[in-house]
Amino acid sequence: MRADRLVSLVLLLRQHGRLSAVALARELEVSTRTVLRDIEALSAAGVPVYAERGRHGGFALLPGFRTELTGLNHDEALALLVAGSRRGAQAFGLGSALASAMLKVVDALPDSYRDTAAGAAERLLIDPETDLLSRRLVDEEVPDAIAAEVLRAVFAGHKLRIHYAAVGQTPEWRTVDPIGLVTVRDRGYLLATKSGADRTYRLSRVLAAKELDEPAQRPDRVDLDRAWQERSTRFRTGGDQVAVLVRLNPARREDLVGTALAVLSEESGADGRLLMEVTFQDRRHAEWALWQLTTSAEALTPQWLRDSLRERATAIATRYGTSA
């Protein structure tokens, strides 16, 4: 929206002092022509922005043009800045909104807090992209258009139509009553009901979404923490799920955890490998997941899974053991 962009433009100038039209366009993700039009609009509205020509020129604000957010102490300001470094908002498509909000907060802080709080925040790193072994943590991408549609339906209390790709199934359209959104380890989940039954959908598996005009059938208030705990318990223990004991190369741990429904236990063995008990949705899911890990994983139990994987490996070896 243009109003948000104009505010962001002013705050960028407040933060940097002087920026060229090209730099502003890059920060705001618009064209330089749009930036020039926005500068004209700000000037017409009485914002004291002026142009400096020359090699090091650009646009700037007259000194002293700012608003001040009072009532924040140093620790409160630091908490806001650290919160701005969290990656959870990415799961709901709110990353750009969070960045914009933090820009406004920093600009509005009193002079006595801004520099010290910002400097302290630089010394805290929350959820880096890699761990100590340089293994990259894979973020689940949720397209902005889908995230926005889901958010609108959740906040407005409207039914939601989603094209959902469940594990091992053909994607299909479903109409659900959205209850709320949960993020766990940077993975976003939609809590909803379908025909009155509880359902949980991973946002990264939503291929398309459309907010409907029809009101959702849901309670006026909800305890999301309690709802999540109840669903997690049912998810780990119900249905046709199967528990598998796996001996695993630690380098493939994230691959297994990202595929399994839940991790029931985990310990390191004397040989350096992990011994993990995990659950899968059903037999087909368990066989598929273990096959993807090739020789990095060994299913110790149940026996039917070992037999199935051996038969599949034997068939592959037979196929490629003869000349084409």
Side-chain angles (χ1 to χ4, degrees):
M1 296 177 60
R2 192 187 189 198
D4 291 338
R5 192 174 68 243
L6 292 176
V7 172
S8 295
L9 194 156
V10 171
L11 294 177
L12 284 169
L13 294 179
R14 278 288 309 151
Q15 292 266 307
H16 298 282
R18 181 187 300 109
L19 287 173
S20 67
V22 173
L24 286 168
R26 182 171 58 251
E27 291 287 342
L28 298 172
E29 298 182 348
V30 297
S31 66
T32 54
R33 184 185 298 271
T34 297
V35 168
L36 295 177
R37 284 200 298 265
D38 288 347
I39 293 292
E40 292 179 2
L42 289 172
S43 297
V47 177
V49 58
Y50 65 96
E52 291 187 356
R53 301 187 182 281
R55 181 179 179 183
H56 300 292
F59 296 100
L61 294 168
L62 289 178
F65 180 78
R66 68 184 308 248
T67 59
E68 193 167 275
L69 183 64
T70 58
L72 279 181
N73 61 36
H74 175 269
D75 288 342
E76 291 170 338
L78 176 60
L80 285 174
L81 294 177
V82 171
S85 70
R86 300 288 296 185
R87 298 188 300 167
Q90 302 292 342
F92 299 144
L94 295 175
S96 60
L98 180 61
S100 176
M102 287 300 101
L103 187 65
K104 296 175 184 179
V105 167
V106 171
D107 180 78
L109 286 174
D111 290 331
S112 57
Y113 294 146
R114 190 190 317 136
D115 293 338
T116 55
E122 289 177 353
R123 299 183 182 277
L124 299 174
L125 177 61
I126 310 297
D127 290 338
E129 293 186 355
T130 59
D131 64 11
L132 284 175
L133 298 179
S134 297
R135 294 177 299 194
R136 186 174 181 84
L137 304 180
V138 180
D139 289 334
E140 294 194 340
E141 296 293 334
V142 180
D144 289 344
I146 292 177
E149 202 73 13
V150 173
L151 282 171
R152 280 195 293 268
V154 169
F155 294 152
H158 290 166
K159 287 184 179 292
L160 181 67
R161 184 122 171 108
I162 59 174
H163 193 214
Y164 191 73
V167 175
Q169 299 180 23
T170 302
E172 62 179 32
W173 285 96
R174 313 169 187 213
T175 299
V176 302
D177 296 295
I179 293 175
L181 293 164
V182 176
T183 177
V184 180
R185 297 188 183 91
D186 298 326
R187 289 178 179 171
Y189 296 89
L190 168 67
L191 272 59
T193 60
K194 184 176 183 294
S195 301
D198 289 346
R199 294 289 184 268
T200 303
Y201 303 100
R202 189 182 291 187
L203 290 182
S204 61
R205 293 176 182 161
V206 177
L207 307 180
K210 176 64 177 177
E211 177 193 5
L212 305 180
D213 294 331
E214 184 181 353
Q217 301 299 312
R218 66 181 191 179
D220 293 333
R221 301 185 64 84
V222 64
D223 184 342
L224 276 184
D225 185 59
R226 180 177 178 180
W228 179 255
Q229 293 297 331
E230 291 175 348
R231 293 186 185 207
S232 297
T233 300
R234 291 199 302 268
F235 195 61
R236 291 193 300 267
T237 60
D240 298 325
Q241 297 175 17
V242 295
V244 178
L245 186 60
V246 181
R247 185 181 289 122
L248 180 72
N249 182 333
R252 301 299 300 274
R253 181 187 181 281
E254 295 305 318
D255 295 325
L256 176 61
V257 172
T259 305
L261 295 182
V263 177
L264 303 182
S265 65
E266 178 179 349
E267 62 182 49
S268 297
D271 59 357
R273 289 187 292 176
L274 297 175
L275 191 64
M276 302 178 64
E277 185 178 12
V278 296
T279 58
F280 295 100
Q281 185 172 339
D282 51 30
R283 287 184 168 220
R284 180 180 175 185
H285 182 198
E287 183 178 347
W288 174 85
L290 269 295
W291 182 258
Q292 306 306 309
L293 294 171
T294 64
T295 57
S296 295
E298 179 187 1
L300 302 179
T301 61
Q303 186 59 45
W304 63 260
L305 180 56
R306 291 178 60 87
D307 294 340
S308 179
L309 292 172
R310 183 182 64 252
E311 291 170 3
R312 178 181 286 202
T314 300
I316 292 292
T318 301
R319 172 66 57 86
Y320 290 98
T322 58
S323 300

